[in-house]
Amino acid sequence: MKKSDITQHVLVPNHTKLSEQKKADVLKKYNISVYQLPQILKSDPAIARLNPKPGDVIKIVRKSQTAGKHVFYRVVVSA
Amino acid sequence: MTKERDYETRLPEKLAKEIRRILPSSASKKKISEIAGEVYREYKDMKVEPGEAVGIVAAESIGEPGTQMTLNTFHFAGVTEMNVTLGLPRIIEILDGRRLITTPTMEIYLKKEYNDKEKVRGVALSIKEAHLSEVTSEFSINIPEAKIEVKLDRGKMGELKISESVLLKALKRVGKTISVDIKDDLLIFKIKKGKEEKGISEVYRIKEKLKATHISGVKGIPHVLPVKKEREYIILTAGSNLKKVLELKEVDATRAVTNDIFEIESTLGIEAARQAIINEVFKVIENQGLNIDIRHIMLVADTMCVNGRVKGITRYGVVRDKASTLARASFETPINHIFDASLKGEVDNLNSVIENVMLNQPVPIGTGLPGLVTKVRDA
């Protein structure tokens, strides 16, 4: 049986890994250190194809009922 | 020009779209920019202010209408009964982050080519989990020869589209000590004699094991119900197994959902789980005819998912992760928390609300949040 591509599922928003430069920009914008961000597990199925390492920042573009589109960041942590 | 673009990027997508939609296409760029600017000012005024106690507001906003919720759950009396926990018990179940929910159920959407009454029925039956006892009619035991004879129900097998080869393959997995043979309508299981003599109880044990052997369908889904929803046929199930259902070729893998938050977390990730919490709680609230702003529910869902794992609003979940000992002690089992903290030599920096309430100090909320910094000139 073919493994289904879960990133296409309606409940799964778009996850992308930020480059080091972009990561620094985000942290500067919110004036925080990386571990003050909400977390996402390294083993999370939605980011499996991004090859994440602890400390990476994942940009998540959610579809929001109130704002239409909402950008959210999570830091990768090991389980 | 640049200004208009500026506002459009700074406004939430929904508002920007709304402006575009409402204004006539003849509106000049200058006018649009002016209006967008006005909307942006209004939007900024409506934003939650720093220091606002959003958690308390959310708790009150969910709690008060919650008192009016009917406690009893609905029952659909019908041919195939589908009882789904609703109302307050369901809300508690979700927010507590219970791993075992009382009524797991799925909503399975199918691909376009299967959107037809007959095909949906076929797919539904192929999803339904079938055990050996469901495709057979009689079990008889022959104790002296250590044999179990089972009569097959051909009609049932045809209905569930189970062939002999599928059946045999499934039964071969049961164990090495049993050999399977098929003769007309009889399945014959022989128990191979091991070193020690197998007693009657052993034969009975094997019989029970055989009865519960999984033959076809998706494990964990004992009931299916094809229904028409708007213009589409979908399958409702009792029981849930998202991972396996998404792998089926008939299923639209982008839309099949379950009400089991933890199953969503493990198959689709934490972000999907967050959205599922919001959807599930909102569904109950809507169903009860209550009016709670979705933002409060979003806040709760966010809190439950910050650590990358779904955590309930309980002393084992989000409360345990609080940095402050006093804050933890203020919520259930205070003595344990204080004992543990003193053994570990924990320090409480009194950064949050509840610990300052306990010590009768100003709390860092609203006007209590900002500190005053001044330069003191040397005298």
Side-chain angles (χ1 to χ4, degrees):
Chain A
M1 252 179 271
K2 175 179 94 59
K3 207 166 182 310
S4 55
D5 182 11
I6 60 143
T7 56
Q8 298 303 312
H9 197 279
V10 276
L11 287 176
V12 183
N14 184 25
H15 293 62
T16 44
K17 192 158 83 176
L18 290 187
S19 64
E20 283 303 312
Q21 180 57 46
K22 288 246 179 73
K23 179 174 151 184
D25 289 348
V26 168
L27 296 179
K28 204 178 161 205
K29 182 181 165 197
Y30 294 106
N31 190 22
I32 50 172
S33 76
V34 69
Y35 286 102
Q36 285 174 290
L37 283 170
Q39 300 165 343
I40 187 165
L41 297 185
K42 188 169 171 271
S43 56
D44 196 280
I47 55 169
R49 85 212 134 81
L50 300 176
N51 186 25
K53 284 181 287 296
D56 283 343
V57 174
I58 305 290
K59 178 183 179 184
I60 296 153
V61 183
R62 293 169 173 168
K63 272 189 225 100
S64 155
Q65 281 111 311
T66 52
K69 199 175 89 183
H70 175 224
V71 180
F72 196 75
Y73 299 94
R74 281 180 190 270
V75 62
V76 178
V77 290
S78 49
Chain B
M1 248 305 269
T2 47
K3 238 186 174 174
E4 174 223 345
R5 286 224 65 86
D6 209 2
Y7 285 126
E8 284 224 294
T9 49
R10 270 200 270 173
L11 278 171
E13 191 191 46
K14 204 173 169 189
L15 282 179
K17 270 193 185 149
E18 188 90 350
I19 293 172
R20 290 262 155 180
R21 194 174 60 80
I22 288 173
L23 291 180
S25 53
S26 58
S28 69
K29 283 196 169 129
K30 194 167 164 258
K31 276 264 152 56
I32 294 177
S33 144
E34 229 171 81
I35 291 164
E38 205 57 50
V39 172
Y40 183 69
R41 265 187 289 285
E42 198 72 21
Y43 167 69
K44 250 177 33 187
D45 279 349
M46 296 304 288
K47 267 187 162 180
V48 174
E49 280 162 30
E52 177 82 61
V54 284
I56 298 285
V57 175
E60 287 176 347
S61 307
I62 296 171
E64 193 276 331
T67 60
Q68 297 167 38
M69 254 192 277
T70 42
L71 277 161
N72 44 346
T73 52
F74 280 103
H75 294 270
F76 294 96
V79 190
T80 327
E81 69 217 57
M82 281 277 173
N83 293 328
V84 181
T85 316
L86 285 170
L88 201 57
R90 176 67 183 144
I91 299 244
I92 293 170
E93 188 174 87
I94 300 168
L95 299 188
D96 274 1
R98 299 228 179 110
R99 276 178 190 271
L100 283 177
I101 58 176
T102 33
T103 48
T105 158
M106 294 188 75
E107 255 176 51
I108 304 172
Y109 291 83
L110 299 180
K111 287 191 182 131
K112 270 201 193 100
E113 56 265 36
Y114 295 95
N115 192 13
D116 162 285
K117 202 172 180 180
E118 281 313 303
K119 280 179 188 160
V120 168
R121 251 182 67 83
V123 177
L125 281 175
S126 75
I127 288 173
K128 185 178 151 78
E129 157 185 62
H131 299 295
L132 186 62
S133 59
E134 277 151 65
V135 291
T136 51
S137 51
E138 258 176 65
F139 275 75
S140 50
I141 295 178
N142 185 337
I143 292 167
E145 288 176 58
K147 270 201 316 197
I148 303 172
E149 289 176 349
V150 183
K151 203 167 182 195
L152 286 174
D153 186 338
R154 294 272 171 189
K156 256 283 167 58
M157 279 175 72
E159 200 180 301
L160 293 169
K161 293 202 182 76
I162 298 169
S163 65
E164 274 181 20
S165 59
V166 171
L167 192 66
L168 281 175
K169 216 175 139 193
L171 291 170
K172 288 241 165 75
R173 285 197 295 259
V174 174
K176 283 179 194 145
T177 52
I178 306 160
S179 70
V180 196
D181 232 334
I182 204 159
K183 215 178 262 172
D184 299 325
D185 275 359
L186 273 187
L187 269 176
I188 300 162
F189 298 95
K190 273 198 194 118
I191 298 159
K192 287 175 194 160
K193 292 238 163 88
K195 273 172 195 157
E196 68 253 57
E197 196 65 20
K198 299 254 160 70
I200 299 171
S201 60
E202 175 69 7
V203 181
Y204 268 103
R205 202 184 60 78
I206 289 171
K207 187 189 113 186
E208 290 309 313
K209 200 175 161 194
L210 284 172
K211 266 188 185 172
T213 305
H214 179 249
I215 303 287
S216 75
V218 179
K219 261 187 197 166
I221 301 186
H223 292 290
V224 288
L225 181 66
V227 292
K228 196 168 191 181
K229 190 180 175 187
E230 278 144 41
R231 252 186 265 139
E232 236 179 322
Y233 286 98
I234 65 166
I235 301 171
L236 300 181
T237 70
S240 167
N241 191 340
L242 187 62
K243 204 168 225 154
K244 283 277 160 350
V245 166
L246 288 182
E247 283 168 4
L248 297 175
K249 67 176 196 308
E250 297 94 346
V251 171
D252 182 348
T254 66
R255 287 191 299 164
V257 286
T258 165
N259 70 349
D260 187 334
I261 309 285
F262 285 93
E263 211 167 66
I264 291 182
E265 186 200 351
S266 63
T267 41
L268 300 176
I270 188 70
E271 278 293 319
R274 185 198 87 107
Q275 192 58 50
I277 293 171
I278 298 170
N279 294 350
E280 286 294 321
V281 175
F282 201 67
K283 213 156 71 186
V284 177
I285 287 163
E286 231 176 15
N287 184 287
Q288 297 271 331
L290 300 175
N291 192 11
I292 299 176
D293 196 291
I294 195 161
R295 278 160 261 246
H296 300 307
I297 301 157
M298 285 167 147
L299 181 75
V300 176
D302 271 334
T303 311
M304 288 172 71
C305 298
V306 270
N307 281 333
R309 277 195 192 99
V310 177
K311 293 212 160 121
I313 316 283
T314 62
R315 74 178 105 126
Y316 313 105
V318 294
V319 177
R320 189 158 65 180
D321 293 342
K322 290 193 178 193
S324 160
T325 308
L326 290 176
R328 266 179 281 132
S330 75
F331 182 91
E332 295 179 11
T333 62
I335 297 183
N336 293 350
H337 283 295
I338 290 166
F339 272 164
D340 287 351
S342 56
L343 282 173
K344 288 182 206 154
E346 273 183 56
V347 176
D348 196 322
N349 288 318
L350 308 179
N351 285 329
S352 190
V353 181
I354 185 68
E355 52 269 37
N356 284 299
V357 173
M358 290 163 109
L359 299 177
N360 201 17
Q361 292 189 50
V363 289
I365 285 185
T367 51
L369 186 64
L372 187 62
V373 180
T374 55
K375 248 184 196 162
V376 183
R377 212 193 298 165
D378 292 330

